[in-house]
Amino acid sequence: MKSESWAGKAPNLQGSCWCTATDAYCMCTPSLAIDLVLVSEPDHIWLVKRKDTGQYATLGGFVEVGESAEDAAKRELKEETGLDLKSKLLLLGFYSDPKRDKRRHTASVVYVVNVPLGENPKAADDVKEVQRFHIGEVESLNLFADHKTILRDYLCFSKKAPNNCVVNGDEVSRTNCRSI
């Protein structure tokens, strides 16, 4: 990205921008989101099918003003699947690469949530369907944005991946917690 002064004119980027009325100074920041890796034993994950692209994705959404990332995770889980959080949120990582989402610069806090056997998420809100997949199917799925990277990281750090776990060799930068 080229260097430019943003005073007087916000750059042509999408995110959250605040501009003052007095000196026309603008500051733009990435949008903050959450994503949830919904896991179900044995060796399964739940993914949502997006209405807008038809692609599978981890469940997620944007953090609202005045809301913590943890509260956003609970809200999105309820809105998109009808499930109440019954387990602890486990932090997988923070994904902030400007290239991760083609729509705009979005930084996402990613959590892992256990969905007990017998619980069946139902599609709601902006979700077309919710489907359970075996973790071995991840590589063959058409996934939204960087969600394949997120799921690869989950498999790697949860020790469910094959021995050829690649973390820093791909093109998306992120910060991960290595013990989930």
Side-chain angles (χ1 to χ4, degrees):
M1 188 155 82
K2 72 177 191 176
S3 175
E4 67 183 274
S5 170
W6 292 3
K9 178 179 179 274
N12 188 19
L13 296 174
Q14 288 189 352
S16 300
C17 295
W18 293 270
C19 299
T20 64
T22 56
D23 63 3
Y25 171 79
C26 292
M27 179 178 74
C28 297
T29 62
S31 298
L32 180 60
I34 59 92
D35 282 286
L36 301 176
V37 177
L38 302 178
V39 298
S40 179
E41 294 301 326
D43 297 332
H44 286 81
I45 56 172
W46 290 94
L47 297 174
V48 299
K49 189 171 226 180
R50 298 175 59 94
K51 285 183 181 177
D52 58 352
T53 66
Q55 293 174 292
Y56 285 103
T58 59
L59 183 145
F62 291 100
V63 177
E64 295 176 355
V65 173
E67 183 178 50
S68 70
E70 295 82 1
D71 287 341
K74 294 172 191 173
R75 176 182 51 77
E76 288 290 343
L77 180 65
K78 181 70 170 177
E79 284 178 4
E80 294 189 359
T81 67
L83 296 179
D84 291 310
L85 183 66
K86 294 180 181 162
S87 64
K88 191 174 169 183
L89 288 170
L90 300 173
L91 182 63
L92 175 63
F94 184 70
Y95 294 71
S96 62
D97 193 308
K99 301 174 297 204
R100 71 174 295 268
D101 187 335
K102 292 177 182 164
R103 299 171 300 172
R104 67 174 143 236
H105 186 177
T106 304
S108 185
V109 182
V110 181
Y111 298 100
V112 176
V113 173
N114 183 48
V115 177
L117 281 175
E119 294 272 348
N120 291 311
K122 304 283 187 258
D125 197 30
D126 55 353
V127 171
K128 187 174 183 178
E129 67 182 60
V130 183
Q131 189 168 338
R132 189 171 181 244
F133 292 94
H134 187 272
I135 58 173
E137 296 178 79
V138 167
E139 290 300 322
S140 66
L141 296 173
N142 177 19
L143 293 167
F144 179 74
D146 66 342
H147 295 197
K148 191 170 283 194
T149 296
I150 291 170
L151 292 172
R152 285 176 180 155
D153 287 349
Y154 165 73
L155 295 175
C156 182
F157 299 133
S158 66
K159 311 252 186 300
K160 295 180 187 277
N163 293 334
N164 59 351
C165 224
V166 175
V167 175
N168 294 321
D170 61 19
E171 296 181 8
V172 178
S173 61
R174 71 276 198 195
T175 303
N176 296 103
C177 297
R178 299 205 180 254
S179 59
I180 54 170

